[in-house]
Amino acid sequence: MKIGITGGIGSGKSYVCKLLAARGITVYDCDAAAKRLMRTSPTLRRQLTELIGANTYQPDGTLNKAVVAQFLLASEQNAKAIDAIVHPAVFRDFIESGVDWMESAILYESGINRLVDRVLVVTAPEPVRIRRIMQRDGISAEKAREWIDRQWPQDRIRALADYEIVNDGETDLPSQVDSLLARINQEKTSF
């Protein structure tokens, strides 16, 4: 059974993934994979260079983040063009990885949810998420709220997910993770 983990910015899904790792579960990180593939895949390097231009990569081979960001933010079409190159590569890499768990902030938006059987959403109240983002990134509450508003609403994701872990800073996370794993193991027997 393949399981996708998602949640909005500041929900704490990466922390939940660390708790899963401590229990021996390998979680494929889509964001880290995308960065790795853009750096190492000759096909992606060629496609991105053809799309963005000769300055996409530095002379030493590293991705020129400023050039890519400028292109990406210039238009919705540009962002979709990059996604059309990177997302399929990540999808293939996940399938080839043999890993059963995957973390993706844009699980539904990217369409990678089609590759999993169940979805776990990590949720947190908006004030908690804003505080976490402000502390982590050193930004204002307004900027944190702007980032939250760019993503799908938490309630929409919750309605689509099969499981939920509440990471509000009060509810016991380890016991929620253990209960989730017990439930999944029980479901696997009838899967």
Side-chain angles (χ1 to χ4, degrees), residues 5 12 23 34 49 61 66 72 81 86 93 98 111 138 153 161 166 172 182:
I5 304 166
R23 287 157 176 76
T49 301
L72 183 82
V86 177
D93 193 62
V166 178
D172 183 26

Side-chain angles (χ1 to χ4, degrees), residues 143-154:
K143 187 69 173 170
R145 189 170 287 108
E146 183 182 316
W147 287 0
I148 288 171
D149 290 343
R150 287 183 181 176
Q151 296 182 330
W152 278 19
Q154 184 169 258

Side-chain angles (χ1 to χ4, degrees), residues 62-111:
T62 58
L63 190 67
N64 191 336
K65 293 178 185 176
V67 170
V68 174
Q70 183 180 3
F71 180 84
L72 183 82
L73 297 173
S75 75
E76 182 76 22
Q77 278 182 305
N78 287 3
K80 287 181 180 179
I82 290 176
D83 290 348
I85 293 170
V86 177
H87 289 172
V90 172
F91 295 5
R92 282 189 302 275
D93 193 62
F94 171 68
I95 291 166
E96 293 168 3
S97 75
V99 175
D100 290 333
W101 292 71
M102 166 217 306
E103 175 192 0
S104 174
I106 56 170
L107 186 86
Y108 291 108
E109 299 93 315
S110 69

Side-chain angles (χ1 to χ4, degrees), residues 24-36:
I25 294 171
T26 301
V27 179
Y28 180 93
D29 182 334
C30 288
D31 189 45
K35 290 173 183 167
R36 173 180 49 81

